[in-house]
Amino acid sequence: MMRKIPLYRSNKCRFIVFLLIAALSFIFLIIVYSCTGTVCFGVADSTPLPFAQTELSLQRIQQKNKFDASILHKVYKLDFESGDILVYLHIQKTGGATFGRHLVHNLAVNSPCRCQKDIKKCECVTSNNHIWLLSRHSTGWVCGLHADWTELNDCVDEWFKNNDLTHRTQRR
């Protein structure tokens, strides 16, 4: 004949098992959180990477991002009064919106953008009434929402033909 276990004892056992599992899970999470890479509980792994392996990694990175010095140090002279235009390509999740606002509000040029309070678009025109900045903060999303390079490349010339009455020569 099977003996009946009192209800309070089975609940007590379940509670103890639950606490034990919760404590072990907590300890496991602390270990996983504390031990990242080669450092565990503030003690670094003393086995260094072989020099050859580190050197190869650095060489691969340098070869991947190898640019000619003439490209890196090329100086562009912008003259907005003579018809140059700055087209800003906004790339999402890169701080681009903040950078775009800085172009409109903080760029030190002869003809800074004129902004009205509580209006998101600013007027960025030169003394000759030519638009010098094409960005979402100055002209709006003229090529569609978050236009990429291809869309901008196809759209900007057409937009200027329809909206800017002066003919400008392209300098890309």
Side-chain angles (χ1 to χ4, degrees), residues 25-72:
S25 298
F26 180 74
I27 291 170
F28 176 74
L29 288 174
I30 294 294
I31 290 172
V32 168
Y33 181 74
S34 299
C35 299
T36 56
T38 59
V39 178
C40 190
F41 296 114
V43 179
D45 185 14
S46 60
T47 56
L49 285 175
F51 178 74
Q53 184 180 358
T54 333
E55 192 65 29
L56 282 175
S57 300
L58 288 174
Q59 285 176 357
R60 268 188 248 126
I61 291 170
Q62 288 173 349
Q63 287 174 356
K64 180 180 176 187
N65 299 324
K66 190 173 186 179
F67 295 103
D68 188 53
S70 63
I71 293 172
L72 292 174

Side-chain angles (χ1 to χ4, degrees), residues 95-146:
T98 304
F99 182 74
R101 278 191 299 275
H102 282 296
L103 283 176
V104 171
H105 296 289
N106 303 326
L107 193 63
V109 292
N110 294 339
S111 303
C113 297
R114 291 184 299 268
C115 303
Q116 294 178 2
K117 190 175 181 181
D118 298 329
I119 296 178
K120 287 189 176 186
K121 285 197 313 186
C122 298
E123 190 177 54
C124 300
V125 293
T126 63
S127 58
N128 303 333
N129 239 9
H130 294 144
I131 296 171
W132 64 266
L133 176 64
L134 185 80
S135 79
R136 74 174 181 147
H137 298 287
S138 62
T139 53
W141 296 103
V142 297
C143 298
L145 185 66
H146 294 294

Side-chain angles (χ1 to χ4, degrees), residues 88-98 136 141 146-148 152:
Y88 175 61
L89 171 64
H90 175 253
I91 301 172
Q92 298 178 62
K93 305 296 179 199
T94 60
T98 304
R136 74 174 181 147
W141 296 103
H146 294 294
D148 62 3
L152 274 176

